[in-house]
Amino acid sequence: RDALVEIGLSKARLERYELGVGWSFDRCSVTELEPIARPLTAYPRAWTPGTDGPVEGEAMRMEVEVAEDLESYAGQVEGKIVFLDDLVEVDRGREAALSVLSDEELADMESFRIPRSGPSPWRQRYLKTLALRKELNAFLLREGAIAVVRSSSREHGIVNVSRGGSQDPEASRGVCELQMSAEHYNAIVRALDADKVVRLRIDVEARFHDQDSRAYNTLADLPGRRAKEIVLVGAHLDPWHAGTGATDNAVGCAVAMEAMRILESLDLRLRRTVRIGLWSGEEQGILGSRAYVREHYATRPATTDSAQLELPEGLRELTWPLQIEPEHRNFQAYFNLDNGAGAIRGIYTQENAAAAVLFRDWFEPVADLGAATVTNRNTRGTDHLSFDRVGLPGFQFIQDRLDYFSRTHHTQLDVLDYVDEEDLQKSAVILAWFLYKAATMEDRFPREPLPQAPLWMKGTASNH
């Protein structure tokens, strides 16, 4: 907020919403004691407890595919450190370490594929995993396990980590959970499969923060002549905890702030207000931007479905009908940046074909910066969805992946060393130009029809 004031923006402010219990960790040490002595690479999973000092125990395997498998381990896990995953296949050539979009790949993105209808298969699988995790956590806590260890899905000692528990203050905190590098994890599993005794020492200091259940979005404005008409740019401030969040998503915040600084420094006469929104809670289910949209633009009925209320907010089905707020009509467009440190190469229209015509025209003056691709495809997983889901034009840019998915995404390598300043400068110029065009265009930005309950939900309860 203070940095936005220094840029010269007005009304720099924090807007709060309910997040729940916070979590942080201060220390994590995992050591193999036998059959050999060595330190192991692991990180705690968010919203799981620490160990209350160093603890030692034997490692054991558990193979659990459905909840019914748990009872076969009753009476066996007390004082044990449980390894839950199978051996992880380490494929050294699975993915290029550094990925820059080729002309052929960009051209392919411009082809439109008919979206799949019906419930998301990924979501259905994840909900089953979530239900099993809840049963598993309750079993391990009841049976007295010391800790749970899962494997990283990355190679070369890279550990990708996110959550193991929930920020819901009513949820069980379970037992300590760790994510271990694939190579170290595999070594332990091989030893166990060979009937060797494996002893570990674990020391994790983690804290739950329940003094303040609120989180905060950070906003500021560059006023236009039509002050109530808003062009919005955003990125998310919150990272996962193994790295510093440099590529996910400090770079998006930095580019958005630089684009605002560029516009302010040029002393332009803007028709509309340009606003920056730096969101929190994105990693927990785009909660910050969702709260902002709910506060200002549109609301949905609260679900009364007990199964839905059991889920984290970010995983609940959308409810209907949509209730539009007065500010909705004055909204112009939202632009989001959250795919790592690579330069902008194009933009997704979220199937808004009318926007594609505008974007192709807007890209022409900045084509020498390598950005020209416009695709009518959807992209998901970040804050533009909060706007798109209530009928507001919300867009995410196409970016070069670089080493985002091969190294830095949600890992301990998400640090400044993997940021390329020249790519960020290019992105800031392109973003500033798009904001200027959206803020000065004569007409309202084209919108799709307001969302309606999908056909596959017809006949179900109106609030589920």
mmCIF file of all heavy atoms in Angstrom, residues 132-178:
data_model
loop_
_atom_site.group_PDB
_atom_site.id
_atom_site.type_symbol
_atom_site.label_atom_id
_atom_site.label_comp_id
_atom_site.label_asym_id
_atom_site.label_seq_id
_atom_site.Cartn_x
_atom_site.Cartn_y
_atom_site.Cartn_z
ATOM 1 N N LEU A 132 -10.844 -38.719 1.186
ATOM 2 C CA LEU A 132 -9.961 -39.752 1.719
ATOM 3 C C LEU A 132 -8.934 -39.145 2.675
ATOM 4 O O LEU A 132 -8.616 -39.741 3.718
ATOM 5 C CB LEU A 132 -9.260 -40.486 0.575
ATOM 6 C CG LEU A 132 -8.264 -41.580 0.979
ATOM 7 C CD1 LEU A 132 -8.943 -42.649 1.818
ATOM 8 C CD2 LEU A 132 -7.617 -42.197 -0.269
ATOM 9 N N ARG A 133 -8.416 -37.959 2.324
ATOM 10 C CA ARG A 133 -7.440 -37.296 3.198
ATOM 11 C C ARG A 133 -8.044 -37.026 4.572
ATOM 12 O O ARG A 133 -7.376 -37.188 5.599
ATOM 13 C CB ARG A 133 -6.979 -35.982 2.563
ATOM 14 C CG ARG A 133 -5.939 -35.229 3.388
ATOM 15 C CD ARG A 133 -5.736 -33.828 2.866
ATOM 16 N NE ARG A 133 -5.208 -33.802 1.520
ATOM 17 C CZ ARG A 133 -5.115 -32.695 0.782
ATOM 18 N NH1 ARG A 133 -5.524 -31.538 1.280
ATOM 19 N NH2 ARG A 133 -4.625 -32.748 -0.434
ATOM 20 N N LYS A 134 -9.297 -36.616 4.621
ATOM 21 C CA LYS A 134 -9.951 -36.332 5.889
ATOM 22 C C LYS A 134 -10.039 -37.591 6.747
ATOM 23 O O LYS A 134 -9.747 -37.575 7.944
ATOM 24 C CB LYS A 134 -11.345 -35.757 5.627
ATOM 25 C CG LYS A 134 -12.073 -35.278 6.864
ATOM 26 C CD LYS A 134 -13.399 -34.631 6.487
ATOM 27 C CE LYS A 134 -14.131 -34.149 7.727
ATOM 28 N NZ LYS A 134 -15.430 -33.502 7.372
ATOM 29 N N GLU A 135 -10.432 -38.713 6.124
ATOM 30 C CA GLU A 135 -10.504 -39.988 6.844
ATOM 31 C C GLU A 135 -9.117 -40.425 7.312
ATOM 32 O O GLU A 135 -8.939 -40.904 8.443
ATOM 33 C CB GLU A 135 -11.101 -41.058 5.923
ATOM 34 C CG GLU A 135 -12.532 -40.803 5.508
ATOM 35 C CD GLU A 135 -13.523 -41.384 6.490
ATOM 36 O OE1 GLU A 135 -13.089 -41.994 7.481
ATOM 37 O OE2 GLU A 135 -14.736 -41.214 6.269
ATOM 38 N N LEU A 136 -8.134 -40.250 6.447
ATOM 39 C CA LEU A 136 -6.765 -40.657 6.763
ATOM 40 C C LEU A 136 -6.212 -39.852 7.930
ATOM 41 O O LEU A 136 -5.611 -40.405 8.865
ATOM 42 C CB LEU A 136 -5.889 -40.488 5.524
ATOM 43 C CG LEU A 136 -4.398 -40.767 5.669
ATOM 44 C CD1 LEU A 136 -4.158 -42.228 6.009
ATOM 45 C CD2 LEU A 136 -3.659 -40.382 4.388
ATOM 46 N N ASN A 137 -6.398 -38.527 7.897
ATOM 47 C CA ASN A 137 -5.893 -37.677 8.966
ATOM 48 C C ASN A 137 -6.511 -38.046 10.316
ATOM 49 O O ASN A 137 -5.818 -38.096 11.347
ATOM 50 C CB ASN A 137 -6.170 -36.203 8.649
ATOM 51 C CG ASN A 137 -5.271 -35.665 7.556
ATOM 52 O OD1 ASN A 137 -4.301 -36.303 7.177
ATOM 53 N ND2 ASN A 137 -5.606 -34.494 7.046
ATOM 54 N N ALA A 138 -7.818 -38.312 10.307
ATOM 55 C CA ALA A 138 -8.487 -38.683 11.551
ATOM 56 C C ALA A 138 -7.939 -40.009 12.082
ATOM 57 O O ALA A 138 -7.722 -40.170 13.293
ATOM 58 C CB ALA A 138 -9.997 -38.781 11.321
ATOM 59 N N PHE A 139 -7.688 -40.964 11.188
ATOM 60 C CA PHE A 139 -7.162 -42.270 11.590
ATOM 61 C C PHE A 139 -5.765 -42.139 12.186
ATOM 62 O O PHE A 139 -5.474 -42.693 13.256
ATOM 63 C CB PHE A 139 -7.141 -43.206 10.376
ATOM 64 C CG PHE A 139 -6.482 -44.525 10.621
ATOM 65 C CD1 PHE A 139 -7.188 -45.576 11.200
ATOM 66 C CD2 PHE A 139 -5.151 -44.731 10.283
ATOM 67 C CE1 PHE A 139 -6.588 -46.805 11.435
ATOM 68 C CE2 PHE A 139 -4.533 -45.952 10.513
ATOM 69 C CZ PHE A 139 -5.257 -46.993 11.095
ATOM 70 N N LEU A 140 -4.897 -41.387 11.514
ATOM 71 C CA LEU A 140 -3.512 -41.258 11.979
ATOM 72 C C LEU A 140 -3.440 -40.523 13.313
ATOM 73 O O LEU A 140 -2.618 -40.862 14.172
ATOM 74 C CB LEU A 140 -2.678 -40.536 10.919
ATOM 75 C CG LEU A 140 -2.485 -41.297 9.607
ATOM 76 C CD1 LEU A 140 -1.823 -40.403 8.564
ATOM 77 C CD2 LEU A 140 -1.663 -42.558 9.819
ATOM 78 N N LEU A 141 -4.289 -39.531 13.497
ATOM 79 C CA LEU A 141 -4.323 -38.802 14.764
ATOM 80 C C LEU A 141 -4.807 -39.716 15.890
ATOM 81 O O LEU A 141 -4.225 -39.752 16.977
ATOM 82 C CB LEU A 141 -5.229 -37.577 14.620
ATOM 83 C CG LEU A 141 -5.279 -36.617 15.803
ATOM 84 C CD1 LEU A 141 -3.919 -35.991 16.055
ATOM 85 C CD2 LEU A 141 -6.319 -35.522 15.554
ATOM 86 N N ARG A 142 -5.848 -40.476 15.595
ATOM 87 C CA ARG A 142 -6.415 -41.372 16.597
ATOM 88 C C ARG A 142 -5.439 -42.492 16.976
ATOM 89 O O ARG A 142 -5.337 -42.891 18.141
ATOM 90 C CB ARG A 142 -7.714 -41.973 16.049
ATOM 91 C CG ARG A 142 -8.453 -42.874 17.017
ATOM 92 C CD ARG A 142 -9.791 -43.300 16.449
ATOM 93 N NE ARG A 142 -9.660 -44.179 15.295
ATOM 94 C CZ ARG A 142 -10.024 -43.856 14.054
ATOM 95 N NH1 ARG A 142 -10.523 -42.652 13.802
ATOM 96 N NH2 ARG A 142 -9.889 -44.714 13.061
ATOM 97 N N GLU A 143 -4.684 -42.962 15.981
ATOM 98 C CA GLU A 143 -3.778 -44.086 16.198
ATOM 99 C C GLU A 143 -2.413 -43.672 16.733
ATOM 100 O O GLU A 143 -1.594 -44.525 17.082
ATOM 101 C CB GLU A 143 -3.608 -44.867 14.887
ATOM 102 C CG GLU A 143 -4.863 -45.573 14.423
ATOM 103 C CD GLU A 143 -5.208 -46.793 15.269
ATOM 104 O OE1 GLU A 143 -4.284 -47.528 15.663
ATOM 105 O OE2 GLU A 143 -6.407 -46.990 15.556
ATOM 106 N N GLY A 144 -2.126 -42.358 16.764
ATOM 107 C CA GLY A 144 -0.898 -41.895 17.385
ATOM 108 C C GLY A 144 0.328 -41.867 16.495
ATOM 109 O O GLY A 144 1.458 -42.006 16.990
ATOM 110 N N ALA A 145 0.142 -41.669 15.188
ATOM 111 C CA ALA A 145 1.292 -41.532 14.291
ATOM 112 C C ALA A 145 2.054 -40.251 14.617
ATOM 113 O O ALA A 145 1.467 -39.243 15.019
ATOM 114 C CB ALA A 145 0.838 -41.515 12.836
ATOM 115 N N ILE A 146 3.389 -40.278 14.427
ATOM 116 C CA ILE A 146 4.214 -39.088 14.659
ATOM 117 C C ILE A 146 4.050 -38.094 13.519
ATOM 118 O O ILE A 146 3.887 -36.887 13.734
ATOM 119 C CB ILE A 146 5.699 -39.477 14.800
ATOM 120 C CG1 ILE A 146 5.930 -40.234 16.102
ATOM 121 C CG2 ILE A 146 6.592 -38.243 14.737
ATOM 122 C CD1 ILE A 146 7.354 -40.736 16.261
ATOM 123 N N ALA A 147 4.118 -38.595 12.293
ATOM 124 C CA ALA A 147 4.112 -37.709 11.127
ATOM 125 C C ALA A 147 3.761 -38.511 9.883
ATOM 126 O O ALA A 147 3.824 -39.751 9.872
ATOM 127 C CB ALA A 147 5.468 -37.029 10.948
ATOM 128 N N VAL A 148 3.408 -37.779 8.835
ATOM 129 C CA VAL A 148 3.140 -38.338 7.514
ATOM 130 C C VAL A 148 4.137 -37.728 6.545
ATOM 131 O O VAL A 148 4.427 -36.529 6.610
ATOM 132 C CB VAL A 148 1.702 -37.999 7.063
ATOM 133 C CG1 VAL A 148 1.494 -38.363 5.604
ATOM 134 C CG2 VAL A 148 0.690 -38.715 7.923
ATOM 135 N N VAL A 149 4.648 -38.549 5.630
ATOM 136 C CA VAL A 149 5.579 -38.059 4.615
ATOM 137 C C VAL A 149 5.017 -38.376 3.241
ATOM 138 O O VAL A 149 4.637 -39.520 2.952
ATOM 139 C CB VAL A 149 6.979 -38.690 4.769
ATOM 140 C CG1 VAL A 149 7.939 -38.097 3.742
ATOM 141 C CG2 VAL A 149 7.521 -38.468 6.179
ATOM 142 N N ARG A 150 4.947 -37.347 2.387
ATOM 143 C CA ARG A 150 4.549 -37.504 0.982
ATOM 144 C C ARG A 150 5.744 -37.151 0.098
ATOM 145 O O ARG A 150 6.680 -36.470 0.523
ATOM 146 C CB ARG A 150 3.369 -36.580 0.633
ATOM 147 C CG ARG A 150 2.179 -36.611 1.562
ATOM 148 C CD ARG A 150 1.519 -37.967 1.679
ATOM 149 N NE ARG A 150 0.978 -38.473 0.441
ATOM 150 C CZ ARG A 150 -0.325 -38.621 0.176
ATOM 151 N NH1 ARG A 150 -1.220 -38.250 1.083
ATOM 152 N NH2 ARG A 150 -0.742 -39.139 -0.949
ATOM 153 N N SER A 151 5.685 -37.590 -1.150
ATOM 154 C CA SER A 151 6.797 -37.335 -2.064
ATOM 155 C C SER A 151 6.532 -36.124 -2.931
ATOM 156 O O SER A 151 5.395 -35.879 -3.371
ATOM 157 C CB SER A 151 7.029 -38.546 -2.970
ATOM 158 O OG SER A 151 8.023 -38.249 -3.932
ATOM 159 N N SER A 152 7.579 -35.379 -3.222
ATOM 160 C CA SER A 152 7.514 -34.345 -4.249
ATOM 161 C C SER A 152 7.290 -35.009 -5.606
ATOM 162 O O SER A 152 7.718 -36.140 -5.843
ATOM 163 C CB SER A 152 8.824 -33.546 -4.272
ATOM 164 O OG SER A 152 8.844 -32.666 -5.377
ATOM 165 N N SER A 153 6.627 -34.302 -6.499
ATOM 166 C CA SER A 153 6.430 -34.807 -7.862
ATOM 167 C C SER A 153 7.490 -34.285 -8.821
ATOM 168 O O SER A 153 7.421 -34.550 -10.017
ATOM 169 C CB SER A 153 5.039 -34.414 -8.377
ATOM 170 O OG SER A 153 4.917 -32.996 -8.424
ATOM 171 N N ARG A 154 8.466 -33.559 -8.316
ATOM 172 C CA ARG A 154 9.543 -33.009 -9.149
ATOM 173 C C ARG A 154 10.823 -33.814 -8.967
ATOM 174 O O ARG A 154 10.992 -34.531 -7.990
ATOM 175 C CB ARG A 154 9.813 -31.548 -8.784
ATOM 176 C CG ARG A 154 8.596 -30.649 -8.866
ATOM 177 C CD ARG A 154 8.178 -30.387 -10.298
ATOM 178 N NE ARG A 154 7.000 -29.556 -10.336
ATOM 179 C CZ ARG A 154 7.015 -28.231 -10.303
ATOM 180 N NH1 ARG A 154 8.164 -27.590 -10.193
ATOM 181 N NH2 ARG A 154 5.899 -27.543 -10.355
ATOM 182 N N GLU A 155 11.740 -33.660 -9.920
ATOM 183 C CA GLU A 155 13.027 -34.321 -9.844
ATOM 184 C C GLU A 155 14.109 -33.367 -9.342
ATOM 185 O O GLU A 155 13.850 -32.209 -9.056
ATOM 186 C CB GLU A 155 13.444 -34.839 -11.236
ATOM 187 C CG GLU A 155 12.530 -35.900 -11.804
ATOM 188 C CD GLU A 155 11.449 -35.327 -12.682
ATOM 189 O OE1 GLU A 155 11.312 -34.084 -12.723
ATOM 190 O OE2 GLU A 155 10.718 -36.110 -13.322
ATOM 191 N N HIS A 156 15.329 -33.894 -9.264
ATOM 192 C CA HIS A 156 16.544 -33.117 -8.976
ATOM 193 C C HIS A 156 16.501 -32.420 -7.616
ATOM 194 O O HIS A 156 17.035 -31.329 -7.446
ATOM 195 C CB HIS A 156 16.800 -32.091 -10.082
ATOM 196 C CG HIS A 156 16.690 -32.664 -11.463
ATOM 197 N ND1 HIS A 156 17.449 -33.726 -11.895
ATOM 198 C CD2 HIS A 156 15.899 -32.336 -12.514
ATOM 199 C CE1 HIS A 156 17.134 -34.024 -13.135
ATOM 200 N NE2 HIS A 156 16.186 -33.203 -13.541
ATOM 201 N N GLY A 157 15.861 -33.062 -6.647
ATOM 202 C CA GLY A 157 15.820 -32.504 -5.301
ATOM 203 C C GLY A 157 14.855 -31.355 -5.111
ATOM 204 O O GLY A 157 14.827 -30.739 -4.042
ATOM 205 N N ILE A 158 14.068 -31.047 -6.129
ATOM 206 C CA ILE A 158 13.099 -29.949 -6.030
ATOM 207 C C ILE A 158 11.861 -30.448 -5.292
ATOM 208 O O ILE A 158 11.326 -31.512 -5.603
ATOM 209 C CB ILE A 158 12.724 -29.423 -7.429
ATOM 210 C CG1 ILE A 158 13.967 -28.901 -8.153
ATOM 211 C CG2 ILE A 158 11.663 -28.342 -7.334
ATOM 212 C CD1 ILE A 158 13.724 -28.557 -9.611
ATOM 213 N N VAL A 159 11.402 -29.669 -4.325
ATOM 214 C CA VAL A 159 10.246 -30.064 -3.520
ATOM 215 C C VAL A 159 9.102 -29.098 -3.791
ATOM 216 O O VAL A 159 9.196 -27.907 -3.485
ATOM 217 C CB VAL A 159 10.584 -30.067 -2.016
ATOM 218 C CG1 VAL A 159 9.369 -30.524 -1.216
ATOM 219 C CG2 VAL A 159 11.784 -30.961 -1.736
ATOM 220 N N ASN A 160 8.028 -29.615 -4.381
ATOM 221 C CA ASN A 160 6.822 -28.796 -4.539
ATOM 222 C C ASN A 160 5.903 -29.059 -3.352
ATOM 223 O O ASN A 160 5.685 -30.200 -2.944
ATOM 224 C CB ASN A 160 6.106 -29.120 -5.851
ATOM 225 C CG ASN A 160 5.679 -30.574 -5.938
ATOM 226 O OD1 ASN A 160 6.493 -31.467 -5.755
ATOM 227 N ND2 ASN A 160 4.415 -30.822 -6.228
ATOM 228 N N VAL A 161 5.386 -28.001 -2.774
ATOM 229 C CA VAL A 161 4.624 -28.148 -1.536
ATOM 230 C C VAL A 161 3.497 -27.128 -1.501
ATOM 231 O O VAL A 161 3.638 -26.010 -2.004
ATOM 232 C CB VAL A 161 5.558 -27.988 -0.309
ATOM 233 C CG1 VAL A 161 6.161 -26.605 -0.252
ATOM 234 C CG2 VAL A 161 4.839 -28.313 0.990
ATOM 235 N N SER A 162 2.376 -27.537 -0.928
ATOM 236 C CA SER A 162 1.283 -26.592 -0.714
ATOM 237 C C SER A 162 0.648 -26.895 0.646
ATOM 238 O O SER A 162 1.304 -26.778 1.664
ATOM 239 C CB SER A 162 0.264 -26.648 -1.865
ATOM 240 O OG SER A 162 -0.216 -27.964 -2.060
ATOM 241 N N ARG A 163 -0.610 -27.321 0.665
ATOM 242 C CA ARG A 163 -1.297 -27.496 1.938
ATOM 243 C C ARG A 163 -1.494 -28.969 2.256
ATOM 244 O O ARG A 163 -1.575 -29.823 1.386
ATOM 245 C CB ARG A 163 -2.647 -26.796 1.927
ATOM 246 C CG ARG A 163 -3.659 -27.469 1.013
ATOM 247 C CD ARG A 163 -5.088 -27.084 1.379
ATOM 248 N NE ARG A 163 -5.400 -25.723 1.005
ATOM 249 C CZ ARG A 163 -6.062 -24.883 1.806
ATOM 250 N NH1 ARG A 163 -6.436 -25.279 2.997
ATOM 251 N NH2 ARG A 163 -6.348 -23.664 1.416
ATOM 252 N N GLY A 164 -1.618 -29.237 3.573
ATOM 253 C CA GLY A 164 -2.039 -30.542 4.027
ATOM 254 C C GLY A 164 -3.306 -30.441 4.847
ATOM 255 O O GLY A 164 -4.086 -31.371 4.924
ATOM 256 N N GLY A 165 -3.523 -29.275 5.474
ATOM 257 C CA GLY A 165 -4.696 -29.043 6.308
ATOM 258 C C GLY A 165 -5.529 -27.886 5.786
ATOM 259 O O GLY A 165 -5.458 -27.527 4.617
ATOM 260 N N SER A 166 -6.308 -27.283 6.664
ATOM 261 C CA SER A 166 -7.286 -26.271 6.266
ATOM 262 C C SER A 166 -7.197 -25.059 7.172
ATOM 263 O O SER A 166 -6.847 -25.172 8.353
ATOM 264 C CB SER A 166 -8.698 -26.861 6.346
ATOM 265 O OG SER A 166 -9.689 -25.865 6.231
ATOM 266 N N GLN A 167 -7.558 -23.881 6.611
ATOM 267 C CA GLN A 167 -7.622 -22.674 7.426
ATOM 268 C C GLN A 167 -8.944 -22.546 8.173
ATOM 269 O O GLN A 167 -9.164 -21.600 8.918
ATOM 270 C CB GLN A 167 -7.396 -21.430 6.569
ATOM 271 C CG GLN A 167 -8.515 -21.064 5.621
ATOM 272 C CD GLN A 167 -8.295 -21.615 4.220
ATOM 273 O OE1 GLN A 167 -7.491 -22.521 4.017
ATOM 274 N NE2 GLN A 167 -8.998 -21.062 3.247
ATOM 275 N N ASP A 168 -9.838 -23.528 7.997
ATOM 276 C CA ASP A 168 -11.101 -23.552 8.715
ATOM 277 C C ASP A 168 -10.819 -23.732 10.212
ATOM 278 O O ASP A 168 -10.205 -24.715 10.624
ATOM 279 C CB ASP A 168 -11.954 -24.716 8.209
ATOM 280 C CG ASP A 168 -13.315 -24.795 8.881
ATOM 281 O OD1 ASP A 168 -13.552 -24.067 9.863
ATOM 282 O OD2 ASP A 168 -14.143 -25.592 8.409
ATOM 283 N N PRO A 169 -11.249 -22.788 11.052
ATOM 284 C CA PRO A 169 -10.947 -22.895 12.486
ATOM 285 C C PRO A 169 -11.578 -24.115 13.148
ATOM 286 O O PRO A 169 -11.146 -24.535 14.222
ATOM 287 C CB PRO A 169 -11.496 -21.594 13.067
ATOM 288 C CG PRO A 169 -12.467 -21.087 12.065
ATOM 289 C CD PRO A 169 -11.985 -21.553 10.732
ATOM 290 N N GLU A 170 -12.602 -24.704 12.519
ATOM 291 C CA GLU A 170 -13.265 -25.874 13.091
ATOM 292 C C GLU A 170 -12.618 -27.182 12.646
ATOM 293 O O GLU A 170 -12.936 -28.250 13.187
ATOM 294 C CB GLU A 170 -14.749 -25.878 12.682
ATOM 295 C CG GLU A 170 -15.522 -24.638 13.085
ATOM 296 C CD GLU A 170 -15.523 -24.426 14.590
ATOM 297 O OE1 GLU A 170 -15.625 -25.431 15.322
ATOM 298 O OE2 GLU A 170 -15.401 -23.263 15.029
ATOM 299 N N ALA A 171 -11.711 -27.133 11.678
ATOM 300 C CA ALA A 171 -11.130 -28.359 11.130
ATOM 301 C C ALA A 171 -10.091 -28.944 12.079
ATOM 302 O O ALA A 171 -9.401 -28.222 12.802
ATOM 303 C CB ALA A 171 -10.493 -28.071 9.775
ATOM 304 N N SER A 172 -9.957 -30.266 12.064
ATOM 305 C CA SER A 172 -8.910 -30.935 12.834
ATOM 306 C C SER A 172 -7.546 -30.561 12.270
ATOM 307 O O SER A 172 -7.369 -30.457 11.051
ATOM 308 C CB SER A 172 -9.094 -32.451 12.750
ATOM 309 O OG SER A 172 -7.959 -33.121 13.255
ATOM 310 N N ARG A 173 -6.569 -30.372 13.137
ATOM 311 C CA ARG A 173 -5.229 -30.010 12.687
ATOM 312 C C ARG A 173 -4.371 -31.230 12.375
ATOM 313 O O ARG A 173 -3.275 -31.102 11.845
ATOM 314 C CB ARG A 173 -4.562 -29.111 13.727
ATOM 315 C CG ARG A 173 -5.293 -27.774 13.828
ATOM 316 C CD ARG A 173 -4.693 -26.810 14.823
ATOM 317 N NE ARG A 173 -5.422 -25.547 14.805
ATOM 318 C CZ ARG A 173 -5.149 -24.506 15.573
ATOM 319 N NH1 ARG A 173 -4.164 -24.572 16.452
ATOM 320 N NH2 ARG A 173 -5.856 -23.392 15.482
ATOM 321 N N GLY A 174 -4.849 -32.408 12.691
ATOM 322 C CA GLY A 174 -4.187 -33.622 12.267
ATOM 323 C C GLY A 174 -2.809 -33.812 12.868
ATOM 324 O O GLY A 174 -2.518 -33.360 13.974
ATOM 325 N N VAL A 175 -1.935 -34.492 12.115
ATOM 326 C CA VAL A 175 -0.561 -34.732 12.548
ATOM 327 C C VAL A 175 0.379 -33.984 11.609
ATOM 328 O O VAL A 175 -0.022 -33.514 10.545
ATOM 329 C CB VAL A 175 -0.220 -36.242 12.540
ATOM 330 C CG1 VAL A 175 -1.160 -37.004 13.457
ATOM 331 C CG2 VAL A 175 -0.277 -36.824 11.124
ATOM 332 N N CYS A 176 1.635 -33.888 12.006
ATOM 333 C CA CYS A 176 2.649 -33.228 11.184
ATOM 334 C C CYS A 176 2.723 -33.912 9.817
ATOM 335 O O CYS A 176 2.738 -35.141 9.726
ATOM 336 C CB CYS A 176 4.002 -33.315 11.900
ATOM 337 S SG CYS A 176 5.376 -32.620 10.968
ATOM 338 N N GLU A 177 2.748 -33.107 8.746
ATOM 339 C CA GLU A 177 2.870 -33.643 7.392
ATOM 340 C C GLU A 177 4.053 -32.994 6.698
ATOM 341 O O GLU A 177 4.256 -31.777 6.797
ATOM 342 C CB GLU A 177 1.598 -33.396 6.581
ATOM 343 C CG GLU A 177 0.402 -34.178 7.072
ATOM 344 C CD GLU A 177 -0.775 -34.085 6.119
ATOM 345 O OE1 GLU A 177 -0.548 -33.998 4.887
ATOM 346 O OE2 GLU A 177 -1.925 -34.092 6.599
ATOM 347 N N LEU A 178 4.795 -33.804 5.966
ATOM 348 C CA LEU A 178 5.995 -33.344 5.267
ATOM 349 C C LEU A 178 5.937 -33.734 3.810
ATOM 350 O O LEU A 178 5.352 -34.758 3.442
ATOM 351 C CB LEU A 178 7.248 -33.958 5.891
ATOM 352 C CG LEU A 178 7.531 -33.611 7.353
ATOM 353 C CD1 LEU A 178 8.519 -34.590 7.944
ATOM 354 C CD2 LEU A 178 8.054 -32.177 7.461
#
